[in-house]
PDB file of all heavy atoms in Angstrom:
ATOM      1  N   LEU A 104     -10.260  14.614 -31.187  1.00  0.00           N
ATOM      2  CA  LEU A 104     -11.517  15.340 -30.960  1.00  0.00           C
ATOM      3  C   LEU A 104     -12.727  14.412 -30.857  1.00  0.00           C
ATOM      4  O   LEU A 104     -13.409  14.410 -29.823  1.00  0.00           O
ATOM      5  CB  LEU A 104     -11.727  16.399 -32.050  1.00  0.00           C
ATOM      6  CG  LEU A 104     -10.757  17.576 -32.025  1.00  0.00           C
ATOM      7  CD1 LEU A 104     -10.961  18.453 -33.252  1.00  0.00           C
ATOM      8  CD2 LEU A 104     -10.928  18.380 -30.750  1.00  0.00           C
ATOM      9  N   PRO A 105     -13.032  13.609 -31.877  1.00  0.00           N
ATOM     10  CA  PRO A 105     -14.203  12.739 -31.730  1.00  0.00           C
ATOM     11  C   PRO A 105     -13.998  11.591 -30.751  1.00  0.00           C
ATOM     12  O   PRO A 105     -14.965  11.079 -30.190  1.00  0.00           O
ATOM     13  CB  PRO A 105     -14.443  12.207 -33.153  1.00  0.00           C
ATOM     14  CG  PRO A 105     -13.127  12.321 -33.831  1.00  0.00           C
ATOM     15  CD  PRO A 105     -12.456  13.521 -33.221  1.00  0.00           C
ATOM     16  N   MET A 106     -12.763  11.197 -30.517  1.00  0.00           N
ATOM     17  CA  MET A 106     -12.518  10.113 -29.569  1.00  0.00           C
ATOM     18  C   MET A 106     -12.644  10.590 -28.120  1.00  0.00           C
ATOM     19  O   MET A 106     -12.856   9.789 -27.214  1.00  0.00           O
ATOM     20  CB  MET A 106     -11.122   9.510 -29.789  1.00  0.00           C
ATOM     21  CG  MET A 106     -10.954   8.746 -31.080  1.00  0.00           C
ATOM     22  SD  MET A 106     -11.916   7.235 -31.135  1.00  0.00           S
ATOM     23  CE  MET A 106     -13.359   7.755 -32.020  1.00  0.00           C
ATOM     24  N   PHE A 107     -12.527  11.901 -27.918  1.00  0.00           N
ATOM     25  CA  PHE A 107     -12.600  12.427 -26.556  1.00  0.00           C
ATOM     26  C   PHE A 107     -14.023  12.429 -26.006  1.00  0.00           C
ATOM     27  O   PHE A 107     -14.243  12.036 -24.859  1.00  0.00           O
ATOM     28  CB  PHE A 107     -12.045  13.860 -26.494  1.00  0.00           C
ATOM     29  CG  PHE A 107     -12.344  14.546 -25.190  1.00  0.00           C
ATOM     30  CD1 PHE A 107     -11.613  14.235 -24.055  1.00  0.00           C
ATOM     31  CD2 PHE A 107     -13.385  15.444 -25.075  1.00  0.00           C
ATOM     32  CE1 PHE A 107     -11.896  14.824 -22.841  1.00  0.00           C
ATOM     33  CE2 PHE A 107     -13.677  16.045 -23.863  1.00  0.00           C
ATOM     34  CZ  PHE A 107     -12.932  15.739 -22.744  1.00  0.00           C
ATOM     35  N   TRP A 108     -14.975  12.905 -26.786  1.00  0.00           N
ATOM     36  CA  TRP A 108     -16.309  13.185 -26.244  1.00  0.00           C
ATOM     37  C   TRP A 108     -17.056  11.994 -25.662  1.00  0.00           C
ATOM     38  O   TRP A 108     -17.858  12.181 -24.730  1.00  0.00           O
ATOM     39  CB  TRP A 108     -17.140  13.946 -27.270  1.00  0.00           C
ATOM     40  CG  TRP A 108     -16.642  15.354 -27.370  1.00  0.00           C
ATOM     41  CD1 TRP A 108     -15.974  15.910 -28.411  1.00  0.00           C
ATOM     42  CD2 TRP A 108     -16.707  16.358 -26.355  1.00  0.00           C
ATOM     43  NE1 TRP A 108     -15.626  17.205 -28.108  1.00  0.00           N
ATOM     44  CE2 TRP A 108     -16.065  17.512 -26.857  1.00  0.00           C
ATOM     45  CE3 TRP A 108     -17.232  16.403 -25.068  1.00  0.00           C
ATOM     46  CZ2 TRP A 108     -15.945  18.685 -26.127  1.00  0.00           C
ATOM     47  CZ3 TRP A 108     -17.118  17.575 -24.334  1.00  0.00           C
ATOM     48  CH2 TRP A 108     -16.483  18.694 -24.862  1.00  0.00           C
ATOM     49  N   PRO A 109     -16.842  10.760 -26.089  1.00  0.00           N
ATOM     50  CA  PRO A 109     -17.505   9.650 -25.397  1.00  0.00           C
ATOM     51  C   PRO A 109     -17.033   9.468 -23.948  1.00  0.00           C
ATOM     52  O   PRO A 109     -17.771   8.920 -23.135  1.00  0.00           O
ATOM     53  CB  PRO A 109     -17.135   8.423 -26.238  1.00  0.00           C
ATOM     54  CG  PRO A 109     -16.869   8.967 -27.595  1.00  0.00           C
ATOM     55  CD  PRO A 109     -16.245  10.307 -27.357  1.00  0.00           C
ATOM     56  N   LEU A 110     -15.828   9.927 -23.617  1.00  0.00           N
ATOM     57  CA  LEU A 110     -15.329   9.745 -22.248  1.00  0.00           C
ATOM     58  C   LEU A 110     -16.176  10.486 -21.223  1.00  0.00           C
ATOM     59  O   LEU A 110     -16.732   9.857 -20.322  1.00  0.00           O
ATOM     60  CB  LEU A 110     -13.861  10.151 -22.142  1.00  0.00           C
ATOM     61  CG  LEU A 110     -12.836   9.046 -22.368  1.00  0.00           C
ATOM     62  CD1 LEU A 110     -12.848   8.548 -23.781  1.00  0.00           C
ATOM     63  CD2 LEU A 110     -11.473   9.525 -21.970  1.00  0.00           C
ATOM     64  N   PRO A 111     -16.273  11.821 -21.301  1.00  0.00           N
ATOM     65  CA  PRO A 111     -17.079  12.494 -20.274  1.00  0.00           C
ATOM     66  C   PRO A 111     -18.556  12.114 -20.355  1.00  0.00           C
ATOM     67  O   PRO A 111     -19.230  12.025 -19.321  1.00  0.00           O
ATOM     68  CB  PRO A 111     -16.871  13.984 -20.557  1.00  0.00           C
ATOM     69  CG  PRO A 111     -16.360  14.080 -21.942  1.00  0.00           C
ATOM     70  CD  PRO A 111     -15.659  12.778 -22.218  1.00  0.00           C
ATOM     71  N   ALA A 112     -19.058  11.864 -21.556  1.00  0.00           N
ATOM     72  CA  ALA A 112     -20.468  11.493 -21.692  1.00  0.00           C
ATOM     73  C   ALA A 112     -20.757  10.162 -21.006  1.00  0.00           C
ATOM     74  O   ALA A 112     -21.878   9.922 -20.557  1.00  0.00           O
ATOM     75  CB  ALA A 112     -20.842  11.423 -23.167  1.00  0.00           C
ATOM     76  N   ALA A 113     -19.747   9.297 -20.900  1.00  0.00           N
ATOM     77  CA  ALA A 113     -19.937   7.974 -20.298  1.00  0.00           C
ATOM     78  C   ALA A 113     -20.093   8.034 -18.788  1.00  0.00           C
ATOM     79  O   ALA A 113     -20.737   7.173 -18.203  1.00  0.00           O
ATOM     80  CB  ALA A 113     -18.775   7.056 -20.665  1.00  0.00           C
TER      81      ALA A 113
END
Side-chain angles (χ1 to χ4, degrees):
L104 292 173
M106 291 293 97
F107 169 77
W108 287 110
L110 269 67

